[in-house]
Amino acid sequence: RWAMPGGIEDEKDQGAKVPTAVREFLEETAATHSNKAIDVQDELLKAFGAARQVHRGVCPKEPRNTDNMWFETTVFAVDIPWSLAHGLALQGTDDAKGAALLEITPSLIASLHGDHPDFVARALAA
């Protein structure tokens, strides 16, 4: 099932949520741009400067939760400028089988992994 990129904060992130989110996005999508003059990481960091936090806390629908362990996350809504989105090439790496920019439709939202339908709904409302 499709899910948004995510992962665990590294020590090098120094507790900063935005660098963690950008690093995880790049690790899971191997994002490159057709315009070699565009630095994808720098452009994502700029876009995340205006990110809106839409969730922070437990993920109650995460299927990997157990009685002794549960997943928590911080979710951001980010507007990616067309100059970056157009020409962005993604591929699945790390633990992602695939990566793509997808049109948000009701059927896509309903088919997302775990709590991701709720996260997308919150992002659209933000």
Side-chain angles (χ1 to χ4, degrees), residues 6-7 44 57 83 93 120:
L44 286 172
S83 59
T93 62
V120 172

Side-chain angles (χ1 to χ4, degrees), residues 75-109:
V75 179
F76 296 99
V78 181
D79 296 321
I80 302 298
W82 179 248
S83 59
L84 176 58
H86 181 71
L88 199 61
L90 308 176
Q91 66 181 36
T93 62
D94 195 29
D95 61 348
K97 291 181 182 177
L101 294 176
L102 304 171
E103 181 180 355
I104 298 172
T105 64
S107 61
L108 173 68
I109 293 171

Side-chain angles (χ1 to χ4, degrees), residues 3-105:
M4 292 175 280
I8 298 174
E9 196 173 287
D10 284 353
E11 285 183 23
K12 64 184 171 190
D13 298 330
Q14 300 177 351
K17 303 297 184 209
V18 167
T20 299
V22 170
R23 179 183 52 74
E24 285 292 342
F25 176 84
L26 294 172
E27 284 178 6
E28 294 189 9
T29 67
T32 59
H33 202 278
S34 59
N35 180 346
K36 301 303 178 201
I38 293 179
D39 183 319
V40 174
Q41 181 173 346
D42 285 347
E43 292 301 315
L44 286 172
L45 286 168
K46 288 177 195 172
F48 266 85
R52 301 167 314 278
Q53 182 176 308
V54 296
H55 175 81
R56 183 174 184 163
V58 174
C59 303
K61 297 176 186 171
E62 173 54 57
R64 297 172 292 179
N65 288 345
T66 69
D67 290 341
N68 301 313
M69 183 205 63
W70 56 91
F71 283 78
E72 294 186 6
T73 193
T74 302
V75 179
F76 296 99
V78 181
D79 296 321
I80 302 298
W82 179 248
S83 59
L84 176 58
H86 181 71
L88 199 61
L90 308 176
Q91 66 181 36
T93 62
D94 195 29
D95 61 348
K97 291 181 182 177
L101 294 176
L102 304 171
E103 181 180 355
I104 298 172
T105 64

Side-chain angles (χ1 to χ4, degrees), residues 1-4 61-64 108-119:
R1 299 175 79 179
W2 285 107
M4 292 175 280
K61 297 176 186 171
E62 173 54 57
R64 297 172 292 179
L108 173 68
I109 293 171
S111 70
L112 294 173
H113 172 81
D115 295 276
H116 292 229
D118 296 336
F119 300 154

